Amino acid sequence: HDGHNRFKDYQTYSPYRDYALEYVSGVFSSRAEAEKAVHIGAKQIAQQHSKYDNGEWFKMSVQDAINVIKGEEKDDVKSTKN
């Protein structure tokens, strides 16, 4: 699964291997489009809470991040049914 492979690759950058995989989505029809949409949602959350946002990294709770992804999953499912 792509999410698990990306996580393993990311772990190689940490000498402590201390990252945790909290959520993996298998719903999106296009990973690239999903990433763009999730970045928009994450930026909105980060800006609401005056948190770090450089366009690629966003400071927020794990639950906020999961909620952004799940919201985009629902939108993707709706758009692929139409």
Side-chain angles (χ1 to χ4, degrees):
H1 189 271
D2 188 44
H4 293 283
N5 290 337
R6 289 185 76 184
F7 174 70
K8 285 192 321 189
D9 291 343
Y10 192 73
Q11 278 289 48
T12 64
Y13 297 108
S14 171
Y16 306 107
R17 308 293 190 262
D18 55 348
Y19 294 102
L21 184 61
E22 299 285 344
Y23 184 78
V24 175
S25 173
V27 175
F28 294 106
S29 56
S30 166
R31 187 183 63 79
E33 291 300 316
E35 187 170 351
K36 286 180 194 175
V38 168
H39 275 219
I40 291 167
K43 184 173 187 151
Q44 290 171 346
I45 295 289
Q47 288 175 339
Q48 286 174 4
H49 301 289
S50 300
K51 299 284 185 166
Y52 182 73
D53 156 34
N54 72 356
E56 182 66 24
W57 297 98
F58 306 91
K59 186 170 183 168
M60 67 181 64
S61 71
V62 170
Q63 192 57 56
D64 280 345
I66 291 170
N67 290 343
V68 169
I69 295 166
K70 286 184 174 184
E72 295 305 328
E73 287 173 344
K74 289 177 187 173
D75 290 346
D76 188 66
V77 169
K78 286 180 198 171
S79 69
T80 57
K81 287 184 178 181
N82 294 331

